[in-house]
Amino acid sequence: HPAHESEALFASGTCYVRLGDTDQAIGAMRAVAAGDPQRPVTVNGSLALADLYRRQHRSDEAAALLSDLIGRVPRDRRPQLCLRLGAVQLDQGNATHAIESFTCALQAPEADAQAAALAGLGDVQMFLGRYDQAEILYQDVAERTDQKTMSAYATYQLGRIQLAVGRVDDAIDTFGP
């Protein structure tokens, strides 16, 4: 598709998402994702399509889409895709691949993206029951990021770890005002 057609399809797909018409949104985003991976709209359409697949519990399709795209996009776009792929892989219970993807995402130049990758690595450690490793990662995220949502998430996860290992007083302090 020419760039303007892809952008129009992306806009219509976004409208369908807002209207709750997932099938139409998927159709539009599939058309966008089929475009030139060197164009940002193709990458954004692919990310949106992967999110739609995840919402429908179609993680295999989301993972395949993102895995394929990672090798075809400019190097500077890969960390963003790796971050999303890591989340999908963790949804699938594939900790090994999720670690690889979140580690790839650490290459992002933006501090917030790096913090999200560290949080993803913390999530993997939680999934594996390695609370000591997860705690270190979430602590790093909480101290590193200026993004309130990511900091709050990391702090919440720290409190969950403290409860899981029986450090109730620490959890009270973490969750407290």
Side-chain angles (χ1 to χ4, degrees), residues 102-163:
F102 288 129
T103 301
C104 162
L106 284 172
Q107 306 308 311
E110 305 87 15
D112 287 344
Q114 291 171 5
L118 287 171
L121 288 168
D123 292 346
V124 173
Q125 296 305 317
M126 286 279 285
F127 173 78
L128 295 172
R130 298 178 185 157
Y131 298 124
D132 55 335
Q133 295 295 318
E135 187 171 15
I136 292 166
L137 290 161
Y138 291 131
Q139 194 74 44
D140 192 10
V141 171
E143 292 170 2
R144 172 189 294 235
T145 187
D146 292 332
Q147 187 186 34
K148 289 184 189 281
T149 304
M150 185 59 61
S151 180
Y153 176 76
T155 301
Y156 170 76
Q157 291 294 75
L158 285 168
R160 286 186 58 214
I161 290 168
Q162 292 160 344
L163 285 174

Side-chain angles (χ1 to χ4, degrees), residues 18-72:
R18 290 187 181 159
L19 292 171
D21 191 340
T22 304
D23 292 337
Q24 289 294 327
I26 286 174
M29 293 305 178
R30 271 191 188 136
V32 175
D36 178 2
Q38 303 300 310
R39 293 197 323 231
V41 69
T42 302
V43 174
N44 292 335
S46 297
L47 289 168
L49 181 57
D51 286 343
L52 289 165
Y53 285 153
R54 279 182 78 195
R55 287 185 204 162
Q56 291 189 329
H57 307 288
R58 295 164 62 182
S59 59
D60 289 345
E61 290 172 84
L65 172 72
L66 294 169
S67 294
D68 176 62
L69 191 60
I70 285 171
R72 299 185 303 124

